[in-house]
Amino acid sequence: MKKLWGGAFSESTAELVDRFGQSIHSDLNFWQEDIIGSVAHARMLGAQGIISPEEAQTLVDGLEKIHEEGPEFLHLDVEDIHTAIEIRLHELVGEVAGKLHTARSRNDQVATDTRLYLHNQLIVVQDQIKMLQRLLLEQGERYKDALMPGYTHQQRAQPITLGFHLMAYFWALQRHGWRAERLFELANYSPLGAAALAGTGFPIDRQMTSDELGFIAPIPNALDATSDRSYLLDALHLCALIMLDLSRMSQELVLFSGREFGFVKLSDTVTTGSSIMPQKRNPDMAELIRGRTARAVANWTTLATVMKALPMGYNRDTQEDKPPLFDSLRKVEDSIELVYLMLETADWQLERMASTIHGDFSTATDLADFLASRGLPFRQAHEIVGRVVRACLDDTCALEDLTAERLAQIAPEVPAEALAVLQPEGSVRRRESLGGPGPNAMAAQLAHARRLHEETGFHKIA
C-alpha cells in the first residue's frame, strides 16, 4: 500500500495494519472537496512565495486535470484520498507534486475536506426539505376540508382534516431547515493552515485560503481546528431528527394503508409484493425508513462515543467520524425522496376516513365545551358528558345519533340544542383558534406557510 510517510521506518507495516487503517473507499465520498482544498492551498503557496508562481500553477493545472478525469483514474491501493490524489498528481506533473503538501498536514486537510463536503450536502438537504414542504402545502390545501379522525395515545380523540394532519409535518420540516441553516453557518470556518496541530513556520495566508473556499474566517486556534468534530455531531443530530419525523410519517402510512384503517392506497411504485401471498401490497419503503432511522440515531451515538474521551489534537479514532456522516446523510436524502414519492402518488380514501368518525365519540369534547360555554364548570361538564357516553355505549348508540328524548333521560340538565354540536363537520368548523383545523384557522395557517416557503431559506416559525 502506497503511503505519504515512512522515511523513518525500516520495516513495512503488516498487511493487516494496512487494511485496518485504510480509509480510501470511504474517503472517495469527498474526493472533489480534497481537490478543491488543495487548489486553494497551492494558489496560496504561490502567492506567498513559498513556492514559485510557476510551480503553483503547475500544481493547480494538475489538480484540475484530476478533477476532469474523475475518481476512476485514482489509485485505490493507497491509505487515503490524500495519498491517491498526490500520487496521481505526481504522475501528471512530476516531482513538483511533492511541494503541494508544504505547510499543511493531513490533519487540517481532512478537517477542511469534511467541512466542505458537509456544506455541499446541507444545500442538497435544504433543497429536498423545500421540495417536500411544497408537496405538503399542496396537499394541505387540497385536503383542508377532508374529515379524518385525530388521535392521541393512538386512540380516537377529535375530528380533524387530512390537510390539517399533513401540515403538521410542514412545520416540523421548517424547524429542520432552520437547524440546517444554523449548522451551515456553524461549520463554515476554515481549519486549513492549522497543519498538524500548531500551525507552521512558513508565511502562509490562512485568510486567503479561507476566502477562496467560501468560509467565513479561519478557526483562530490551530489545535482546536484539527481537534473539533462538534459540527459533525451537530450534523448527525440533525440527520437523526429529520429521520425521526420521516419515520413517524412512514409509520402512519404503514398503519393507514392497512385494511384495518383503509385510509390510503400506496402506489405500486413504492410498494412490494409477497413471494407466496399474491394479494399482498407491502409498504416496504415506509418500513425501511422506519428501520433505518435507528441507524441514523446510532450514528450520532457512535461518534459521540468516539469523541467522549479524546484529548486535544488529532487522534486516529476520528477516522471513524466520516462513515457515520456519509451514511446518515445518504439515508436522509434517500428517505426524503421516498416520502415525497409515497405522498405524491398516494390515493387517499376520503370517504372511508370521514365515515370512520361516525360512532367513535370524538365529539364528546364538543358537548363538554358547549356546557362549559353555558357557565357550567368544565370538570362538571366533563362528568356529565362521561355519563352520556357511557349510556350510549350501553345502548350501542352513536353520540351523534342521540335523540332529544334519550338525551333528556340520560342527562336532563343538558338542553336539546346541545345535539347540534355533535356532528363531526361542525366540530372541525368550530375549532378556529390559532393553529386549529377550522376553515379560517386553516386558511391563515396555509397562508403563513406559503409566505415562509416562498422566502429564501428557513426563517423561524413566528
Side-chain angles (χ1 to χ4, degrees), residues 102-119:
T102 306
R104 78 172 180 185
S105 163
R106 286 185 297 177
N107 297 356
D108 62 333
Q109 189 177 356
V110 72
T112 303
D113 293 352
T114 309
R115 287 173 184 264
L116 292 173
Y117 175 85
L118 179 58
H119 284 168

Side-chain angles (χ1 to χ4, degrees), residues 433-450:
S433 59
L434 178 66
N440 295 325
M442 268 300 287
Q445 180 182 160
L446 288 165
H448 184 188
R450 276 192 294 271

Side-chain angles (χ1 to χ4, degrees), residues 61-132:
D61 292 343
L63 290 165
E64 290 177 346
K65 176 64 176 175
I66 296 172
H67 192 265
E68 291 173 9
E69 292 176 339
E72 296 81 9
F73 285 80
L74 297 176
H75 296 273
L76 300 185
D77 184 27
V78 295
E79 189 174 12
D80 51 38
I81 190 64
H82 322 301
T83 309
I85 288 174
E86 189 165 323
I87 288 172
R88 180 58 182 152
L89 184 62
H90 188 275
E91 292 174 349
L92 292 173
V93 304
E95 291 298 326
V96 71
K99 294 193 174 185
L100 177 61
H101 210 54
T102 306
R104 78 172 180 185
S105 163
R106 286 185 297 177
N107 297 356
D108 62 333
Q109 189 177 356
V110 72
T112 303
D113 293 352
T114 309
R115 287 173 184 264
L116 292 173
Y117 175 85
L118 179 58
H119 284 168
N120 292 334
Q121 294 306 305
L122 285 174
I123 292 170
V124 173
V125 170
Q126 289 176 71
D127 287 344
Q128 287 186 311
I129 289 174
K130 282 281 191 182
M131 174 190 71
L132 183 52

